[in-house]
Amino acid sequence: MAQSLPEPVDPLKRAEPEPGKLALSVSLGYAPTGYRGLGVDPAKGPYTDRVASHGLSADLALSYALSETLSLGAGLAGALAYTQTLRTFADETQAYRDETRTDLIPRIALWTRGSRSP
């Protein structure tokens, strides 16, 4: 008995939701950034800042398709950002500042999409 091949997947076309189907999505991200800035401290005078930041993010979501046009979902997003600043004053004194920020964000969502045209 011959089996038919599955239909090819178009990577540019979004998958159509199937009513009654659960979907799990997981994403991880990394975003490095850096910049320089100028400023004036009232006590110490002008300075330059050199900033480097590293951001990590993770997202876990579960969605349920109620119909072809309506889905309900819940998820949890987490983020960690580490920033290091080197401040150099006009008299060449330097100061380091490290900062770490973490966020954990629960969310619920209701998605709707227009009906498909014939």
Side-chain angles (χ1 to χ4, degrees):
M1 178 176 195
Q3 288 184 325
S4 62
L5 293 174
E7 187 175 322
V9 175
D10 182 357
L12 300 178
K13 183 179 176 188
R14 177 182 242 176
E16 296 292 329
E18 295 178 31
K21 187 174 181 182
L22 280 172
L24 175 69
S25 65
V26 177
S27 66
L28 299 172
Y30 171 66
T33 57
Y35 62 91
R36 290 182 176 214
L38 300 170
V40 177
D41 183 297
K44 295 183 179 181
Y47 62 83
T48 60
D49 276 347
R50 193 165 50 187
V51 180
S53 181
H54 302 275
L56 297 170
S57 63
D59 189 31
L60 178 67
L62 185 64
S63 62
Y64 180 74
L66 299 168
S67 70
E68 289 181 359
T69 60
L70 190 65
S71 296
L72 180 64
L76 191 60
L80 170 70
Y82 172 71
T83 304
Q84 185 177 39
T85 304
L86 172 62
R87 181 164 287 179
T88 305
F89 292 95
D91 64 1
E92 298 299 318
T93 60
Q94 294 183 331
Y96 281 101
R97 187 177 75 217
D98 293 329
E99 181 181 351
T100 303
R101 190 184 81 230
T102 58
D103 295 308
L104 193 58
I105 305 161
R107 47 181 199 204
I108 57 171
L110 181 64
W111 295 282
T112 185
R113 68 190 282 177
S115 60
R116 292 175 33 177
S117 35

